[in-house]
Amino acid sequence: MVEMFAAENGLKGDPRLQAISNAIRVVPHFPKQGIMFQDITTLLLDHKAFKHTVDIFVERYKDMDISLVAGVEARGFMFGPSIALAIGAKFVPLRKPKKLPGEVIAEAYELEYGRDCLEMHVGAVEAGERAIVIDDLVATGGTLSAAIRLLERVGAQVVECGCVIGLREVKGQLRLNGKPLYILVEPREIDGC
């Protein structure tokens, strides 16, 4: 996996990255003791920081011939559709179990604090489509890895994964099977709200 931070990949000193980072609230010990939850709902409340987030992803992906943006439930749904519209791609939601009607294909994965599964509609993806996977945060790489496997099982070519927040060294980096990972900001340690 090639891990790229926006600040080290052409956006060094870009004030949009600091605005994005400042707009994220840290909630200690949520959902369990020891977790420093990166709450992007405060980012969504700041329309400028939210726009900066979408704009940076659009700038990166607009010329990569992407036909599909897959968003991981639930917070990938907050950024993925806007990115898809702006680059002229379709949006495919990757949902938790039993949330999609009709026939689905599923992929199980391990979380930092449990086990889960992603599902998508059969027929939502055509073989050969160039895809990106969008989520809010990457910690272990388990969710993104499941998303990649799910898309590749139906013939998509996953070009890259994009996350708003990511650890400097993703614990499960080998799980992404060499797929590039583009990260806007590192997790915040303190609550600036």
Side-chain angles (χ1 to χ4, degrees):
M1 174 192 74
V2 179
E3 185 178 277
M4 297 173 278
F5 281 84
E8 298 163 359
N9 198 38
L11 295 180
K12 184 173 183 154
D14 191 319
R16 297 178 298 176
L17 295 175
Q18 190 61 52
I20 291 166
S21 182
N22 290 345
I24 297 166
R25 175 175 56 176
V26 178
V27 181
H29 311 298
F30 182 84
K32 71 176 199 174
Q33 189 69 27
I35 302 289
M36 297 295 282
F37 188 79
Q38 306 291 309
D39 180 13
I40 56 101
T41 62
T42 51
L43 170 66
L44 301 174
L45 293 173
D46 180 335
H47 72 279
K48 288 181 183 175
F50 184 24
K51 184 177 184 324
H52 293 330
T53 303
V54 172
D55 287 349
I56 292 170
F57 282 125
V58 169
E59 289 164 14
R60 178 156 183 87
Y61 298 122
K62 68 182 177 184
D63 296 322
M64 288 190 180
D65 196 30
I66 303 299
S67 58
L68 183 158
V69 176
V72 177
E73 184 167 343
R75 292 176 296 275
F77 295 179
M78 296 175 189
F79 303 100
S82 297
I83 296 165
L85 283 172
I87 66 172
K90 66 182 175 183
F91 177 76
V92 175
L94 304 180
R95 306 263 351 233
K96 303 291 183 184
K98 303 192 186 313
K99 299 282 187 179
L100 292 170
E103 190 178 355
V104 298
I105 181 172
E107 186 70 40
Y109 63 99
E110 297 293 325
L111 286 166
E112 188 173 2
Y113 41 85
R115 185 168 172 76
D116 214 337
C117 182
L118 289 177
E119 294 182 346
M120 99 179 148
H121 276 126
V122 170
V125 177
E126 295 176 28
E129 286 196 276
R130 289 174 55 83
I132 55 172
V133 178
I134 299 293
D135 204 355
D136 69 324
L137 180 137
V138 58
T140 67
T143 308
L144 291 177
S145 177
I148 292 167
R149 290 192 310 269
L150 190 57
L151 291 163
E152 289 182 340
R153 280 174 47 199
V154 295
Q157 177 191 352
V158 177
V159 175
E160 186 167 274
C161 296
C163 293
V164 178
I165 308 161
L167 302 176
R168 174 75 38 193
E169 292 180 21
V170 176
K171 297 173 191 170
Q173 59 186 309
L174 298 177
R175 294 181 179 184
L176 300 185
N177 297 326
K179 300 297 180 198
L181 173 61
Y182 187 69
I183 299 166
L184 300 190
V185 299
E186 293 184 64
R188 294 192 48 222
E189 296 296 324
I190 56 170
D191 184 4
C193 296

